[in-house]
Amino acid sequence: MNSKFVSLFSFVIFISLTACSKDASPVEEEEEVIEEPIAQGDEDTGTSLACTAQGTNPSRTTDIANPVNVGTIDDRSCYANYREVSLYGKTWGVYNITDGSNHIDAPNTLQPRMERSLSRSQETGVGSFARFKGIVRILEVGDAGSFNQDGSYLIQAKGNHTGGGGSADPAICLYRAHPVYGTGDDADKQVAFDIYAERILERGGSGSGREVVFLKQVAKNAEIDFELEIGFREDPNDASKKIHYCDAVIGGEAFNFNIPDPERGLQSGIRYGAYRVKGGRAQIRWAETTYEKAEVVD
């Protein structure tokens, strides 16, 4: 083969390779520039559970302007104040509380809480009700080392009754999330939550006057549709009587409860947020909350 032709052919190959190499560099740099960081979410991972200057609200009704979550705030925790975060296409109300952080009530009396109260249905006629709907995410709940002390409340049904007994503002049914820990590298991490209903056995019941019933398990940070309705309906077995009911729908599953002594019931009410933490920290998120009620004279 002619030596001049070989030299010319080699030169052409060299120019082509050099051009390809120069063209590739900008593409690689552009891919690195547009790469986005992994979202970190809205979980508080700090190790301190102490009160903060920002979280020490002087009044339990301290709130932000125009909150997206319905209801009146009841903030009895000096760890954090209510705030909101946009994530996963929704605006979430942030409820963080820690063990021993109730700075409003007398020390060692009532549990910390950051809840929202809703106006109660004050009538007891058939058709009266209070109905709440929302989406909840659970990131962390209290862990005090034993079943009776573990867990934090997400939401509760409330209402006074005739005849006295129990608290001046009794809880009727509370929905409590207990921590479920992982294995291996996640052995010290809360990866899921068991949801229990804490139901009264008698009007005014607390402590041994309640039963704790397992409902279902949900994953950490999962978006769970939660509906709670408390009200009065006709007894299907006796039209002259009525049932005071407390019905929950959690992630599409129904969990109904007939409240004892329905004739003694005077109110139907709901509170939600984060309540009770006898060890560690609780972090609950609520979005797209709605509330309605009806009042039918008996």
Side-chain angles (χ1 to χ4, degrees):
M1 183 179 290
N2 188 295
S3 60
K4 290 183 178 181
F5 178 81
V6 171
S7 298
L8 177 61
F9 179 79
S10 299
F11 177 75
V12 170
I13 294 297
F14 172 77
I15 293 298
S16 298
L17 292 174
T18 303
C20 290
S21 176
K22 289 180 179 179
D23 289 341
S25 296
V27 174
E28 292 177 357
E29 291 176 0
E30 183 178 355
E31 289 177 347
E32 292 177 358
V33 170
I34 64 173
E35 184 178 351
E36 297 181 357
I38 298 173
Q40 297 300 312
D42 57 342
E43 183 176 6
D44 185 350
T45 58
T47 57
S48 175
L49 306 180
C51 289
T52 65
Q54 181 182 11
T56 307
N57 47 299
S59 166
R60 54 191 270 190
T61 56
T62 301
D63 203 354
I64 67 171
N66 303 313
V68 295
N69 282 180
V70 296
T72 302
I73 197 76
D74 180 5
D75 182 357
R76 287 183 254 182
S77 173
C78 55
Y79 175 71
N81 284 337
Y82 174 82
R83 63 185 179 89
E84 295 175 351
V85 60
S86 294
L87 199 64
Y88 313 130
K90 300 176 179 66
T91 300
W92 301 87
V94 175
Y95 301 82
N96 289 351
I97 58 177
T98 58
D99 178 29
S101 64
N102 185 344
H103 64 302
I104 299 294
D105 298 306
N108 303 315
T109 55
L110 300 179
Q111 277 290 300
R113 70 205 65 192
M114 190 188 297
E115 294 182 292
R116 289 190 177 274
S117 61
L118 301 161
S119 61
R120 299 184 183 181
S121 174
Q122 301 285 358
E123 297 295 340
T124 62
V126 170
S128 298
F129 68 84
R131 181 187 298 134
F132 169 87
K133 294 182 180 181
I135 302 174
V136 66
R137 284 189 297 120
I138 311 172
L139 300 178
E140 186 177 12
V141 296
D143 184 346
S146 68
F147 180 83
N148 289 335
Q149 302 296 308
D150 286 349
S152 298
Y153 300 123
L154 314 173
I155 191 169
Q156 57 174 317
K158 305 276 286 184
N160 287 319
H161 53 266
T162 63
S167 167
D169 184 22
I172 291 173
C173 184
L174 308 96
Y175 296 85
R176 198 164 92 196
H178 280 237
V180 176
Y181 288 89
T183 59
D185 293 340
D186 293 332
D188 61 343
K189 299 176 182 178
Q190 298 182 11
V191 298
F193 304 94
D194 286 339
I195 308 298
Y196 291 85
E198 187 176 317
R199 303 166 172 168
I200 60 169
L201 296 171
E202 59 186 14
R203 291 284 178 173
S206 61
S208 60
R210 293 178 184 166
E211 62 177 355
V212 179
V213 180
F214 174 76
L215 303 182
K216 66 182 298 179
Q217 186 176 109
V218 300
K220 176 178 178 176
N221 203 36
E223 297 186 24
I224 309 297
D225 291 330
F226 202 116
E227 301 178 19
L228 183 62
E229 181 174 328
I230 174 174
F232 293 88
R233 63 167 62 106
E234 183 179 291
D235 187 334
N237 299 316
D238 187 342
S240 67
K241 296 180 180 179
K242 58 189 175 182
I243 292 173
H244 197 190
Y245 65 90
C246 179
D247 295 348
V249 181
I250 307 172
E253 291 186 59
F255 303 97
N256 298 339
F257 169 54
N258 289 342
I259 304 164
D261 302 322
E263 68 282 354
R264 295 180 60 193
L266 294 174
Q267 293 177 325
S268 298
I270 295 172
R271 291 169 63 95
Y272 73 100
Y275 164 39
R276 187 177 114 142
V277 54
K278 296 188 176 183
R281 174 172 49 202
Q283 301 188 63
I284 312 296
R285 309 289 182 260
W286 285 98
E288 298 184 3
T289 59
T290 63
Y291 178 70
E292 60 180 315
K293 67 177 181 178
E295 298 180 297
V296 179
V297 178
D298 197 358

